[in-house]
């Protein structure tokens, strides 16, 4: 039964671990230990519940549990609820990932409390800048929120705040314009010795020597350490982290420690305060998210908060399509028409179909042409399919005129989809569009080709790519209407439309099954229909007409039943819809042996997501970044939403392209809000479709299939360098590519971005031997009015078009250049110093500090301090000296915008054989 309690940390310790609560649930006698994931999920549900009630988005009674309000808010809109969970989990994963992050490691330990405070404030400033930009990147905002939350939560497990104040929240920590209470100085001992083994569970209960100032523990392996102690009988010193992982505990610190991470006394000397630390951290997370005075509601407005968490209410109104039909669209018009038709077929025939459809085209010289307004979805599909291109020559088109006409024809609270590859010729009319859209509360979805034709011409003239600094008309319209811009290439458009469809439609659409029937396959394929399914839709690509398709249940053919409609949409595509089908096993029957691709969807609240994890060398599991690798063993975690008690989940199906089917039994893990299962398997093929199976209380099989397949590869790409990017500076990004395939292969690597900010080489061709590797380096210019840049790196085998690996990363572009600190000179050596001589061996060094914004403080990791009010001009030079009892020290520089930098004075490791005593370091400004 022990495996039933397995929820292994999704974690890999890429750096010396930055301790805090466990990232996820743990096993054994202390499995009740609280963790970052649990408290974050609970805090998000609480904060979102309060937001919903405070903004009257849903009316609940006083007895409704605050964490349940989000479920009531979405009601039958299962797709909306899943999107919320997806965004919630993005934040949770970013919180957990911080525990293995070098960035978090710097800011959450060793009395660096002020630095942690400024770290959060800096991230909050970035959230605010992104939220106020013309094209806010909500994924980036969620990443930054996760970073803030981790540091906030780690504060309560690692400092002595809880020892002084119980489970009360330190309301000023991480809040702009707030000054922290005093923090212990370099020469102040904060703990006395206690039992670090955990055998005496109460030994460390009263080991703190301070009760009115803040301190935190120092741990083995972390970069900042206190000076050595030179007297083993001293019996006190700086507080340690403590526990079995603090292997050098007592050499530089008092024996024992104060961490409250776990309930295990062998790990956490202050295990008795674990629950108080947990409740304080959880409540502080709620404050950070929702407090009107101290929360991020001060950095983001109500509409942005709704977007961050996906709290979108949908309305049945109009769907408008506004499409550029000039000749320059020739390269993408087929994909655009397919994307629009996909939107139509996703909603057509469901209870969520809009009340009517509008089609408007625009170009130059024709400002706009109203092509069609209809309630008949099939008529709109035909009109979309029949769009022809005309005109062109110059680049800009009458885009604003097309938008104005569609807004005029649409009902209130409608959605308009807009497509172009050109800038607006009538950009001066953007405010007219903004006013009209806002008056009707129109949701604008603006699809812009990732390289507009004006920018193509500019590259031809200038020989390089550069985005104009001023905002274009589309950015102004999006900003003024809370609309959304999607910069796409043709390969990405299909996936983008699928994601948008899931967001927009007030439905619970799931994929029941998806498969191919090849020419020599059997002409019949069974699929299950359970009692939770409504409006089953069977889409067949490859059928010549409706006569080629039959659907049968145990009662015979249903193709002519009253509750079945056949939508013959276009040559090569047939859609069959069955309303309120009876449960049982159905058969899809092919009348001719032509190749079919079939997708079976339905309306239901029961759906699932999965996550792929891999075991690290330490035995722990971590989430796979990018594609898994062929031949390796992985553990899949499956979360099932809205599963009734009457429905059981039993197995997972992995279907390969050659029709090989692998079934794996699923093991249940008790989840806090939804049901979670796991299964381990080896991935040996290059493609898998993922489905889950189960049985309901009537004995009927139920099935769901993920729209996202698994594509194992033989190439591994590891990000090895990611810069902090500043305006008008260039950042270097590097990857290591490893070839895990059996053959030597040549690979082509392409780098693109959504702002035209990648400079220099963007294509690399590399021959990589089997089990060999190569490095890829490219540069990004920090120049954008939008605060973020997202680059995409794709890998193909030379001569092949298909992508075998792809990754996108978003970087924040800071308008504030952080200070820099460079060690210019370091004289001395402490490697061979003995115990009794460390205080007699001295060293000295010099550093140069440069800054663009006024400095707030200059301090040392051992308590150096310097008055910055007299510092006027950059750069300044700092002289530092000390002895070998302090052979590793940091100089920390913080400016008044909460940017900071550290430089390290490292003289080697003292030969440790007995505990050592603290000493001092001196600093002066030249």
């Amino acid at each position: 039964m022990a495996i039933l309690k397995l929820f292994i940390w999704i974690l890999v310790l890429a750096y010396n671990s930055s301790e805090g609560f466990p990232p996820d649930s743990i096993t054994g006698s202390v499995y009740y230990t609280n963790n970052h994931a649990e408290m974050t999920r609970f805090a998000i549900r609480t904060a979102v519940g309060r937001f919903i009630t405070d903004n009257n988005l849903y009316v609940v009674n006083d007895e409704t549990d605050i964490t349940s309000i989000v479920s009531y808010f979405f009601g039958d809109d299962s797709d909306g609820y899943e999107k919320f969970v997806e965004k919630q989990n993005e934040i949770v994963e970013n919180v957990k990932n911080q525990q293995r992050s070098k960035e978090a490691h710097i800011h959450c330990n060793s009395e660096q409390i002020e630095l942690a405070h400024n770290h959060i404030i800096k991230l909050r400033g970035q959230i605010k800048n992104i939220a106020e930009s013309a094209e806010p990147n909500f994924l980036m905002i969620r990443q930054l929120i996760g970073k803030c939350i981790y540091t906030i939560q780690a504060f309560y497990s690692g400092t002595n705040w809880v020892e002084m104040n119980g489970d009360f929240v330190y309301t000023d920590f991480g809040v702009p314009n707030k000054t922290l209470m005093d923090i212990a100085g370099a020469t102040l001992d904060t703990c006395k010795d206690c039992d670090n083994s955990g055998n005496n569970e109460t030994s460390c209960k009263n080991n703190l020597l301070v009760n009115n100032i803040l301190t935190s523990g120092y741990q083995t392996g972390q970069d900042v350490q206190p000076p050595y102690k030179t007297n083993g009988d001293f019996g006190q010193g700086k507080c340690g982290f403590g526990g079995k992982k603090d292997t050098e505990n007592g050499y530089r610190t008092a024996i024992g420690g104060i961490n409250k991470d776990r309930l295990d006394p062998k790990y956490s000397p202050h295990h008795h305060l674990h629950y108080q630390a947990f409740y304080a951290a959880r409540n502080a997370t709620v404050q950070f998210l929702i407090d009107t005075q101290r929360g991020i509601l001060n950095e983001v407005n109500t509409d942005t908060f709704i977007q961050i968490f996906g709290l979108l209410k949908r309305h049945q109104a109009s769907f408008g399509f506004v499409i550029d039909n000039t000749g320059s669209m020739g390269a993408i018009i087929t994909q655009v028409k397919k994307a629009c038709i996909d939107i139509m077929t996703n909603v057509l025939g469901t209870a969520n179909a809009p009340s009517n459809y509008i089609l408007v085209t625009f170009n130059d010289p024709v400002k706009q042409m109203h092509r069609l307004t209809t309630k008949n979805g099939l008529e709109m599909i035909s009109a979309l399919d029949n769009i022809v291109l005309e005109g062109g020559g110059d680049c800009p088109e009458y885009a604003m005129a097309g938008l104005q006409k569609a807004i005029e024809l649409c009902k209130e609270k409608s959605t308009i989809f807009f497509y172009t590859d050109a800038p607006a010729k009538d950009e001066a009319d953007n405010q007219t569009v903004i006013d009209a859209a806002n008056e009707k509360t129109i949701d604008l979805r603006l699809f812009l080709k990732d390289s507009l034709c004006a920018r193509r011409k500019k590259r031809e003239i200038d020989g390089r790519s550069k985005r104009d600094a001023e905002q274009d008309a589309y950015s102004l319209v999006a900003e003024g209407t809370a609309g959304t811009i999607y910069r796409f290439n043709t390969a990405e458009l299909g996936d983008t439309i699928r994601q948008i469809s899931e967001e927009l439609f007030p439905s619970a659409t799931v994929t029941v099954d998806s498969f191919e029937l090849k020419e020599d396959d059997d002409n019949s394929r069974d699929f299950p229909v359970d009692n939770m399914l409504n409006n089953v839709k069977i889409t067949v690509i490859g059928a010549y007409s409706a006569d080629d398709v039959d659907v049968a249940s145990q009662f015979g053919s249903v193709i002519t039943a009253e509750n079945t409609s056949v939508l013959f949409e276009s040559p090569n595509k047939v859609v069959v819809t069955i309303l309120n089908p009876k449960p049982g096993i159905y058969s899809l029957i092919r009348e001719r042996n032509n190749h079919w691709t079939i997708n079976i969807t339905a309306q239901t609240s029961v759906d699932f997501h999965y996550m792929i994890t891999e075991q690290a060398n330490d035995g722990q599991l971590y989430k796979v970044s990018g594609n898994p690798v062929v031949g390796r063993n992985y553990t899949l975690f499956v979360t099932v939403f809205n599963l009734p008690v009457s429905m059981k989940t039993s197995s997972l199906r992995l279907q390969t392209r050659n029709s090989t089917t692998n079934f794996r039994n699923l093991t249940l893990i008790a989840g806090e809000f939804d049901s979670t299962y796991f299964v381990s398997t080896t991935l040996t093929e290059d493609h898998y479709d993922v489905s889950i199976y189960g049985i309901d209380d009537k004995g009927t099989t139920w099935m769901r299939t993920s729209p996202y397949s698994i594509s194992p590869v033989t190439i591994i790409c590891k990000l090895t360098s990611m810069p902090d990017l500043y305006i008008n500076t260039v950042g270097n990004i590097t990857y290591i590519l490893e070839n895990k395939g059996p053959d030597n292969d040549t690979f082509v690597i392409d780098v693109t971005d959504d702002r035209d900010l990648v400079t220099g080489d963007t294509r690399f061709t590399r021959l990589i031997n089997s089990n060999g590797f190569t490095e890829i380096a490219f540069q990004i210019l920090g120049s954008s009015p939008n605060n973020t840049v997202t680059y995409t790196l794709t890998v193909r085998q030379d001569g092949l078009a298909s992508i075998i690996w792809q990754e996108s990363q978003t970087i924040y572009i800071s308008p504030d250049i952080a200070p820099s600190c460079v060690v210019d000179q370091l004289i001395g050596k402490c490697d061979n110093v003995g115990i009794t001589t460390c205080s007699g061996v001295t060293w000295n060094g010099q550093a140069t500090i440069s800054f663009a914004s006024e400095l707030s403080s200059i301090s040392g990791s051992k308590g150096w301090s310097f008055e910055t009010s007299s510092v006027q001009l950059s750069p300044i030079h700092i002289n530092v000296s000390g002895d070998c009892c302090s052979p590793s020290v940091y100089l920390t520089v913080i400016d008044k915008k909460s940017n900071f930098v550290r430089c390290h004075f490292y003289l080697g490791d003292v030969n440790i054989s007995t505990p050592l005593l603290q000493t001092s370091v001196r600093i002066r400004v030249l």
Side-chain angles (χ1 to χ4, degrees):
M1 295 294 291
I3 199 168
L4 295 178
K5 296 176 180 177
L6 170 79
F7 201 80
I8 315 166
W9 312 347
I10 300 166
L11 167 69
V12 62
L13 300 178
Y15 304 94
N16 294 325
S17 64
S18 175
E19 300 304 330
F21 297 99
D24 223 318
S25 302
I26 60 176
T27 62
S29 60
V30 290
Y31 74 94
Y32 290 113
T33 287
N34 294 289
N35 55 78
H36 285 291
E38 177 185 350
M39 71 177 76
T40 303
R41 290 191 191 98
F42 185 93
I44 288 174
R45 298 279 177 141
T46 300
V48 170
R50 290 182 184 173
F51 179 85
I52 290 171
T53 54
D54 291 348
N55 290 277
N56 298 314
L57 301 182
Y58 185 84
V59 179
V60 296
N61 59 52
D62 294 337
E63 297 178 357
T64 303
D65 180 67
I66 191 70
T67 61
S68 300
I69 290 176
V70 66
S71 298
Y72 291 116
F73 170 78
F74 285 106
D76 295 333
D77 182 7
S78 181
D79 281 349
Y81 175 70
E82 289 176 34
K83 283 296 176 183
F84 162 78
V85 173
E86 180 181 299
K87 291 169 174 57
Q88 167 193 275
N89 289 343
E90 284 178 15
I91 295 174
V92 170
E93 289 303 313
N94 278 295
V95 173
K96 293 192 296 183
N97 285 339
Q98 292 308 297
Q99 202 141 14
R100 58 187 174 95
S101 164
K102 188 174 182 180
E103 183 179 29
H105 169 49
I106 292 173
H107 306 305
C108 299
N109 59 82
S110 310
E111 294 184 326
Q112 297 182 100
I113 300 168
E114 183 181 5
L115 201 59
H117 173 70
N118 280 280
H119 177 57
I120 298 169
I121 294 171
K122 175 184 175 181
L123 295 176
R124 291 179 67 148
Q126 294 177 2
I127 291 171
K128 180 179 176 65
N129 288 341
I130 297 172
E132 292 177 347
S133 68
E135 299 177 31
N137 187 304
F138 297 108
L139 177 62
M140 184 70 176
I141 291 177
R142 286 188 284 271
Q143 291 175 358
L144 296 174
I145 287 173
K147 291 182 178 183
C148 290
I149 288 175
Y150 174 82
T151 304
I152 290 168
Q153 293 175 355
F155 170 82
Y156 294 93
S157 66
T159 72
N160 65 327
W161 171 267
V162 170
E163 283 82 352
M164 294 188 294
N165 300 280
D167 59 6
F168 287 93
V169 173
Y170 188 11
T171 56
D172 289 345
F173 180 68
V175 177
N177 304 314
K178 298 293 182 181
T179 301
L180 295 181
M181 64 184 297
D182 290 341
I183 299 169
T187 60
L188 181 64
D189 289 340
T190 52
C191 276
K192 60 184 178 181
D193 289 349
C194 60
D195 175 29
N196 191 49
S197 69
N199 294 324
N200 184 347
E201 295 188 11
T202 62
S203 173
C204 294
K205 191 171 184 179
N206 297 305
N207 64 331
L208 273 161
L209 296 174
V210 296
N211 59 13
N212 59 354
I213 58 175
L214 284 171
T215 186
S216 60
Y218 292 76
Q219 186 189 6
T220 302
Q222 293 184 334
D223 52 356
V224 177
Q225 292 288 322
Y228 291 111
K229 296 164 59 180
T230 58
N231 185 340
D233 298 326
F234 195 61
Q236 63 187 43
K238 287 296 183 184
C239 293
F241 178 84
K244 58 188 177 183
K245 289 194 69 175
D246 197 2
T247 55
E248 294 184 6
N249 179 269
Y251 285 110
R252 294 194 179 197
T253 65
I255 299 171
I258 62 171
N259 96 71
K260 297 164 281 295
D261 295 356
R262 292 159 174 76
L263 289 171
D264 184 357
K266 297 184 184 301
Y267 192 100
S268 296
H270 281 202
H271 59 94
H272 59 287
L273 296 174
H274 172 75
Y275 281 115
Q276 290 190 54
F278 165 73
Y279 289 123
R282 192 174 70 179
N283 292 338
T285 305
V286 174
Q287 173 189 283
F288 169 77
L289 291 171
I290 198 64
D291 188 86
T292 56
Q293 300 299 317
R294 291 176 166 83
I296 58 169
L297 283 177
N298 290 282
E299 278 82 47
V300 304
N301 58 32
T302 299
D303 289 338
T304 302
F305 192 93
I306 288 172
Q307 292 283 347
I308 291 170
F309 292 99
L311 305 177
L312 302 175
K313 280 291 188 182
R314 290 84 168 181
H315 303 272
Q316 291 184 8
S318 304
F319 270 6
F321 297 92
V322 182
I323 299 174
D324 180 348
N325 70 329
T326 49
S328 65
M329 290 281 287
I332 63 171
I333 192 63
T334 299
Q335 288 79 8
V336 168
K337 291 196 290 186
K338 182 181 182 302
C340 295
I341 292 172
D342 284 346
I343 291 171
M344 294 288 302
T345 55
N346 283 339
V347 74
L348 195 63
T350 73
N352 310 297
S355 55
N356 66 354
Y357 307 91
I358 291 97
L359 175 60
V360 174
T361 60
F362 66 92
N363 56 37
D364 180 17
V366 179
K367 290 187 175 182
Q368 54 81 16
M369 180 176 290
H370 173 212
R371 300 276 181 173
L372 181 66
T373 295
T374 181
K375 295 181 180 180
N376 187 322
L378 296 179
E379 188 179 1
M380 176 56 70
I381 287 173
S382 178
L384 287 165
D385 202 36
N386 290 324
I387 290 176
V388 295
L389 302 181
E390 54 192 42
D394 61 346
C395 179
E397 316 296 349
Y398 285 103
M400 297 297 108
L403 280 170
Q404 286 182 61
K405 188 63 177 180
I407 294 169
E408 172 191 328
L409 296 169
C410 281
K411 298 180 179 181
E412 290 188 357
K413 298 182 179 179
S414 293
T415 301
I416 292 177
F417 303 92
F418 171 91
Y419 299 84
T420 189
D421 72 336
K425 188 168 189 174
D426 49 353
E427 61 182 352
D429 294 332
N430 71 82
Q431 190 60 49
T432 303
V433 172
I434 293 170
D435 294 342
N438 287 336
E439 183 177 354
K440 286 189 172 182
T441 319
I442 301 295
D443 178 13
L444 293 180
R445 304 286 173 138
L446 308 176
F447 292 81
L448 309 181
K449 183 74 169 60
D450 57 1
S451 181
L452 298 183
C453 57
R455 283 151 57 185
R456 288 199 299 267
K457 290 183 178 181
K458 186 175 182 63
R459 284 198 295 272
E460 292 169 3
I461 296 170
D462 296 345
R464 61 192 182 97
S465 170
K466 183 179 180 181
R467 168 179 285 273
D468 293 336
E470 66 272 12
Q471 291 180 305
D472 58 28
Y474 303 125
S475 297
L476 292 170
V477 167
E479 184 177 8
T481 63
T484 307
I485 289 178
Y486 304 90
R487 298 187 186 275
F488 71 94
N489 60 46
T490 52
E492 299 169 344
L493 189 54
D495 285 340
T496 302
I497 289 300
R498 180 176 61 196
Q499 295 167 9
I500 293 170
S501 297
E502 291 175 356
E503 291 179 1
L504 286 179
F505 304 147
S507 65
T509 302
V510 303
T511 301
V512 178
D513 202 359
S514 181
F515 54 89
E516 289 184 86
L517 286 181
K518 299 176 182 177
E519 287 84 350
D520 55 353
D521 289 339
D522 291 340
N523 284 332
S524 178
R525 176 69 72 90
D526 292 343
F527 62 93
V529 173
D530 59 78
N531 59 12
M532 294 291 292
L533 297 184
N534 290 304
N535 196 30
V536 175
K537 181 184 290 186
I538 305 160
T539 302
V540 181
I541 306 295
Y544 292 120
S545 71
D547 293 336
D548 291 348
V549 182
D550 194 10
V551 180
S553 72
Q554 60 267 42
F555 306 108
S557 176
V558 299
I559 204 76
T560 58
E562 291 184 0
N563 66 336
T564 302
S565 60
V566 178
L567 308 177
F568 176 53
E569 298 173 24
S570 63
N572 204 43
K573 185 174 185 179
V574 172
V575 177
V576 178
T577 301
I578 310 170
L579 301 177
N580 304 314
K582 294 180 179 179
I585 301 298
Y586 285 62
S587 297
L588 176 63
I589 302 168
R590 179 175 58 177
E591 298 298 334
R592 288 193 278 186
N593 288 340
N594 45 314
H595 187 281
W596 278 8
T597 301
I598 299 100
N599 192 45
I600 303 173
T601 61
Q603 302 288 297
T604 180
S605 61
V606 180
D607 201 2
F608 80 103
H609 288 168
Y610 70 87
M611 178 172 63
I612 308 173
T613 69
E614 185 177 25
Q615 189 174 44
N617 293 333
D618 56 9
Q620 297 172 341
L621 297 179
Y622 62 95
K623 183 179 178 181
V624 171
S625 176
N627 300 69
V629 178
V630 171
R632 290 190 179 181
N633 185 266
Y634 296 93
T635 298
L636 274 64
F637 288 90
V638 177
T639 300
V640 184
F641 303 106
N642 304 308
L643 187 68
V645 176
S646 61
M647 297 178 70
K648 307 299 180 184
T649 305
S650 58
S651 60
L652 177 138
R653 184 191 78 176
L654 296 174
Q655 182 83 37
T656 67
R657 282 179 172 156
N658 61 13
S659 299
T660 301
T661 302
N662 301 292
F663 288 93
R664 297 287 185 270
N665 292 330
L666 290 168
T667 302
L668 175 66
I669 304 165
E672 186 177 0
F673 297 105
D674 301 292
S675 301
T676 303
Y677 304 79
F678 74 92
V679 64
S680 295
T681 187
T682 300
L683 302 176
T684 58
E685 303 285 343
D686 63 355
H687 181 90
Y688 294 89
D689 291 319
V690 183
S691 306
I692 59 172
Y693 282 86
I695 303 293
D696 65 17
D697 58 351
K698 304 293 185 182
T700 302
T701 298
W702 66 273
M703 176 184 179
R704 303 289 184 268
T705 298
S706 174
Y708 305 103
S709 58
I710 300 175
S711 298
V713 296
T714 58
I715 193 86
I716 299 176
C717 295
K718 296 179 180 178
L719 177 65
T720 56
S721 175
M722 172 75 78
D724 289 328
L725 198 56
Y726 302 98
I727 288 289
N728 299 323
T729 64
V730 174
N732 295 301
I733 299 172
T734 58
Y735 278 81
I736 295 293
L737 276 66
E738 300 179 50
N739 178 12
K740 295 300 181 181
D743 302 318
N744 302 337
D745 276 314
T746 299
F747 299 92
V748 178
I749 303 96
D750 288 298
V751 183
T752 59
D753 75 281
D754 62 343
R755 310 289 188 203
D756 281 347
L757 298 181
V758 175
T759 65
D761 294 334
T762 60
R763 168 164 286 197
F764 309 87
T765 301
R766 296 286 190 271
L767 171 63
I768 310 177
N769 295 333
S770 176
N771 293 313
F773 66 90
T774 189
E775 183 179 76
I776 298 297
F778 57 94
Q779 294 75 42
I780 292 187
L781 174 66
S783 176
S784 173
N786 301 102
N787 303 112
T788 63
V789 56
T790 300
Y791 72 83
T792 300
L793 188 146
T794 59
V795 181
R796 298 174 174 86
Q797 281 186 297
D798 191 23
L800 300 179
S802 59
I803 295 172
I804 60 174
W805 191 90
Q806 180 171 291
E807 176 178 275
S808 296
Q809 294 278 356
T810 300
I811 306 175
Y812 176 73
I813 304 173
S814 176
D816 306 317
I817 298 178
S820 67
C821 181
V822 178
V823 176
D824 300 315
Q825 188 179 57
L826 194 56
I827 300 174
K829 189 174 183 181
C830 299
D831 291 340
N832 299 317
V833 174
I835 303 166
T836 60
T837 58
C838 72
S839 61
V841 180
T842 60
W843 59 267
N844 61 78
Q846 186 181 88
T848 298
I849 298 172
S850 302
F851 51 94
S853 300
E854 185 179 354
L855 297 183
S856 173
S857 67
I858 303 173
S859 61
S861 56
K862 302 300 171 291
W864 307 334
S865 62
F866 174 69
E867 174 58 50
T868 60
S869 60
S870 61
V871 176
Q872 300 294 329
L873 299 176
S874 172
I876 59 174
H877 303 285
I878 299 287
N879 265 1
V880 176
S881 61
D883 60 43
C884 283
C885 294
S886 295
S888 175
V889 293
Y890 285 83
L891 186 66
T892 301
V893 183
I894 305 174
D895 68 22
K896 291 193 174 179
K897 294 184 177 181
S898 293
N899 296 300
F900 49 82
V901 68
R902 299 190 314 170
C903 49
H904 188 195
F905 296 85
Y906 177 68
L907 284 302
D909 292 320
V910 172
N911 182 18
I912 306 171
S913 58
T914 63
L916 301 169
L917 180 66
Q918 295 188 45
T919 186
S920 61
V921 177
R922 293 162 297 282
I923 176 174
R924 67 186 180 89
V925 177
L926 296 179

